[in-house]
Amino acid sequence: MSDTKAITIEDNGSKGRYVYRADGHEAEMTFSRVGTSQIIIDHTGVPDAFRGQGVGVALVTRAVEDARASGIKIRPLCPFAAAQFRRHPEWHDVLVDR
């Protein structure tokens, strides 16, 4: 799955999630806002029905795209998201400086 346009975002201001739905299943990546300049990715959940299809990576990719577009940084506390940032050095421009 590489089409990040199929992913929707639910944002209530301080918390939110990226969601992919298909065939009665739902994958999500949740985040919390830190002020106006940063989000913390805290959880990624992908049901077995989507395993091996790249849905988790697509969720993180969409967050990276959105962060670039809005000029914010990402702190990936979720182990899956953190692993994806290690695998994708081209995303480090939106990574919170440690």
Side-chain angles (χ1 to χ4, degrees):
M1 188 230 160
S2 60
D3 182 15
T4 60
K5 291 177 177 61
I7 296 168
T8 59
I9 184 169
E10 298 172 1
D11 189 347
N12 73 8
S14 63
K15 292 187 176 282
R17 67 185 193 138
Y18 287 87
V19 182
Y20 174 74
R21 293 178 182 95
D23 301 323
H25 300 282
E26 179 179 281
E28 71 172 1
M29 183 184 69
T30 61
F31 65 89
S32 299
R33 290 197 180 279
V34 179
T36 58
S37 62
Q38 185 182 140
I39 66 166
I40 296 171
I41 296 174
D42 47 30
H43 170 74
T44 303
V46 177
D48 289 341
F50 296 149
R51 299 257 185 230
Q53 297 178 33
V55 173
V57 175
L59 291 166
V60 181
T61 300
R62 175 65 190 274
V64 169
E65 292 170 353
D66 289 352
R68 284 184 178 140
S70 57
I72 65 170
K73 298 288 185 174
I74 297 174
R75 182 177 305 271
L77 294 185
C78 162
F80 176 81
Q84 293 308 310
F85 270 90
R86 287 191 297 275
R87 289 185 185 118
H88 294 276
E90 69 275 16
W91 293 350
H92 288 186
D93 60 309
V94 299
L95 194 59
V96 170
D97 295 329
R98 298 197 183 243

